Amino acid sequence: MPFFEILQDNPGFLLATTIVLGLLAGSFLNVVIYRLPLMMQREWRQQCHEFLGLAESEATEPEAMPEDRVFNLARPDSHCPQCKAPVRPWQNIPVISWLLLKGRCASCQTAISWRYPTIEITTGLLSGVVAWQFGATWLMLAVLVFTWSLIAMTVIDIDHHLLPDSITIPLLWLGLLVNAVGLNAQVSLHDAVIGAAAGYLVLWSLYWGFRLLTGKEGMGYGDFKLLAALGAWMGWQSLLLVVILSSVVGALTGVVLLLRGRDRDMPIPFGPYLAGAGLLAMLWGDPLMRWYFAIMAP
């Protein structure tokens, strides 16, 4: 493609373009992170009230539901949750609008969380890293979607201890498709299929082993699906690295939280560690594996 050729010949332009694209994607991810769990809660309540045969007014908690009858990723338009003033297009420029507004709503001066620009900046920077690693290729575009999906799932899991099927399952199928058409020369479709199955079964087995030994659930089914998706993208060979990285960081984080007085019975989401390990494996899997085997060698 001519556009790809322009980007290949101008790495600085590629980097700048991808970072801007990442900032815009980060703005959309803020919408996904906030609205998708609410959409799922609405759907669950509706299914429950239909199953129980309850009237909608009996099954719904008005204070917990958005006021708008139509609520999805597109509607209603963005607005201030406090004063309901609409967010104008010039007030919705990633990072810049937050800085110009000094982190406050233009209408009622309610503080706007710092998390919004943080997610936008993080998405922009990671998008730039992806462009730097993969260059102007179709694989780069695919890995951008992979990266953005992991960012959304990380924050949703931190907030709600939830990894939505509407992200994990499409991510799994996209990984298989990417390797089926040969975008990633390092991963065959055979390795991707085995990686998806093995990724699911590894955590499924750990889950049931832990439950039989302790009577407790150590993780959720969303974690199984996420590791399956990572296996579909990077093949079964990547699973060892992903599991080691996520387990070590998760264990260290748990120890730190316990030392700081966190209740040991309070669950810690595992999805963010899987997502972080998966992104590291996608970007620098080979050097990380060489380093691991080097330090493990006698």
Side-chain angles (χ1 to χ4, degrees):
M1 288 182 64
F3 184 65
F4 272 174
E5 293 176 0
I6 294 174
L7 294 177
Q8 289 169 353
D9 294 336
N10 298 273
F13 181 59
L14 168 65
L15 195 60
T17 301
T18 311
I19 290 174
V20 171
L21 180 62
L23 290 171
L24 295 173
S27 181
F28 176 68
L29 291 184
N30 279 320
V31 176
V32 173
I33 290 164
Y34 172 71
R35 296 193 182 193
L36 184 57
L38 292 179
M39 291 163 54
M40 296 173 67
Q41 291 171 17
R42 287 183 66 136
E43 183 180 359
W44 295 336
R45 287 193 179 96
Q46 182 179 2
Q47 291 173 351
C48 288
H49 105 259
E50 290 175 354
F51 177 76
L52 297 172
L54 299 175
E56 186 173 353
S57 59
E58 297 177 278
T60 300
E61 301 175 17
E63 69 278 5
M65 301 291 288
E67 295 179 2
D68 305 84
R69 299 297 299 170
V70 178
F71 189 80
N72 52 43
L73 297 182
R75 301 289 299 175
D77 294 337
S78 297
H79 58 274
C80 173
Q82 185 67 29
C83 68
K84 309 303 180 185
V87 177
R88 305 299 181 186
W90 56 87
Q91 297 170 346
N92 206 23
I93 303 172
V95 182
I96 295 176
S97 290
W98 189 87
L99 292 173
L100 292 177
L101 292 171
K102 298 180 180 178
R104 296 189 174 275
C105 170
S107 299
C108 67
Q109 296 301 303
T110 297
I112 303 172
S113 173
W114 56 268
R115 195 169 79 171
Y116 292 105
T118 300
I119 290 173
E120 292 166 354
I121 292 171
T122 300
T123 307
L125 292 177
L126 289 178
S127 299
V129 172
V130 169
W132 184 266
Q133 286 292 106
F134 293 94
T137 60
W138 287 109
L139 180 59
M140 179 201 75
L141 294 179
V143 176
L144 284 176
V145 175
F146 172 85
T147 303
W148 299 340
S149 300
L150 294 182
I151 293 171
M153 285 190 287
T154 293
V155 184
I156 290 174
D157 202 22
I158 291 172
D159 287 347
H160 302 279
H161 293 194
L162 174 71
L163 292 171
D165 284 353
S166 54
I167 301 179
T168 55
I169 302 302
L171 187 65
L172 188 155
W173 285 112
L174 181 58
L176 293 177
L177 179 62
V178 164
N179 292 312
V181 299
L183 291 186
N184 189 351
Q186 296 182 348
V187 181
S188 67
L189 179 59
H190 177 268
D191 291 341
V193 172
I194 294 178
Y200 190 93
L201 290 174
V202 164
L203 291 189
W204 180 87
S205 301
L206 291 175
Y207 167 88
W208 280 106
F210 183 81
R211 185 169 183 177
L212 290 173
L213 289 172
T214 66
K216 300 178 181 179
E217 296 183 358
M219 62 185 68
Y221 277 66
D223 298 318
F224 313 165
K225 298 167 190 175
L226 176 53
L227 187 58
L230 297 177
W233 276 82
M234 296 177 287
W236 62 268
Q237 298 90 338
S238 68
L239 293 178
L240 176 63
L241 175 63
V242 171
V243 170
I244 290 174
L245 284 175
S246 57
S247 299
V248 170
V249 176
L252 292 175
T253 302
V255 170
V256 171
L257 291 176
L258 288 175
L259 291 176
R260 296 182 63 179
R262 184 187 178 102
D263 186 350
R264 66 175 58 250
D265 293 326
M266 186 176 295
I268 299 175
F270 191 51
Y273 306 117
L274 283 175
L279 185 58
L280 287 173
M282 174 65 76
L283 295 173
W284 300 291
D286 288 341
L288 284 173
M289 285 301 293
R290 288 195 296 268
W291 173 79
Y292 172 75
F293 286 118
I295 64 172
M296 294 298 294

